[in-house]
Amino acid sequence: MAMNVTVSSACFSVFSYKKVKRIKGAASEDFAAPAALRTEEETKVKLGGSELRVTRLGIGAWSWGDTTYWNNTGWDDRKLKAAKAAFDASVDRGITFFDTAEVYGTTFMGAINSETLLGRFIKERERKNGGVEVAVATKFAALPWRFGRHSVLNALKDSLRRLELSSVDLYQLHWPGVWGNEGYLDGLGDAVDQGLVKAVGVSNYSEKRLRDAYEKLKKRGIPLASNQVQYSLIYRAPEQNGVKAACDELGITLIAYSPIAQGVLTGKYTPENPPTGPRARIYTSEFLTKLQPLLNRINETGENYGKTPTQVVLNWLIAQENVVPIPGARTAEQAEEFSGALGWRLSNNEVDELRTLASKISPVMSFPVENL
């Protein structure tokens, strides 16, 4: 997920049995099978060449504790309860992969670090429901004053303390540093050797940086499991800059942050009702006007399956193969809706049609370091 500077369970609560319409050429199932009845092979995928298996869709925790980008009115008890409900609803529906970072949520203005919240939610779930197995991913911030492999290990240990865990499943470099990247990769390898992580990845890495990181870790016998980048139907830079092709070639999973374009692809916003806060500078009324034909087609496609626009655009990403989207869930209702993106598939024709329509729209803003 982008930097913000300015336990798989038994799944007793599962996907609803929902009859969906078949259309010619569709590859979906007639019913969304309950998570408890599907095998792990169906519900989980391996991250790259690692042994770590995660659910085909994860949950991003960028907004948890945030008081700047997502919650500019402050962080309060109501938002805390909503985030906890989102966590529980995700696990109830078989989504057990959660992505956070040390820079998500600040200690200013009453905010709480996202790692702290996720760790708390896991502990509370364990106390209430017994054993809960989730896959936790977090990220190292490549800040200019951090040097060498030891900075990675020290930051990781701080993250583990906030998460109240002895190890994490996936540890990622959040963005390439201004300098010191060789040492950061050494630190990732050391974390694996010390048993502090199961798998390692990077985020916001260009094709060249991705290949270099892959080769450096390969020399130590450590697979680069993932590259987390912005990717959605209206932001397809990974397809155009070689990142997606490199991931597929090297066996690196692409983790897609902002997969619903920060809510814009849900149909929630219109030219008359654009987003507020920092997003208003990206998703303007003019942009939303140009987006309407695509949103209309997404909605029509969803109606053929009994699915919402959100579920359609998430399924579009899953249909790209080797992609794990991690939409952010701030409420239980959002988490429940995200689960409906699983258990079915758009047809190839529909995937291509939506891409063609989206290509007529000017791309949205990228993350600053993405092309370094």
Side-chain angles (χ1 to χ4, degrees), residues 241-282:
N241 60 20
V243 166
K244 176 66 166 66
C247 284
D248 294 344
E249 174 194 337
L250 301 175
I252 300 169
T253 299
L254 191 156
I255 299 175
Y257 71 76
S258 295
I260 54 177
Q262 301 181 9
V264 171
L265 286 174
T266 68
K268 174 181 178 179
Y269 301 107
T270 65
E272 297 75 33
N273 178 40
T276 58
R279 288 178 294 167
R281 297 194 295 269
I282 304 172

Side-chain angles (χ1 to χ4, degrees), residues 8 39-47 50-56 96-97 133-135 169 198:
S8 116
T39 65
E40 182 174 295
E41 186 68 26
E42 294 174 306
T43 60
K44 292 189 175 182
V45 292
K46 284 180 64 176
L47 278 189
S50 74
E51 295 303 313
L52 177 61
R53 298 183 67 84
V54 301
T55 46
R56 292 180 178 273
T96 57
F97 179 39
E133 184 184 347
V134 301
D169 297 275
K198 293 181 181 177

Side-chain angles (χ1 to χ4, degrees), residues 338-349:
F338 296 157
S339 71
L342 300 168
W344 62 286
R345 190 190 186 283
L346 292 167
S347 71
N348 291 336
N349 288 340

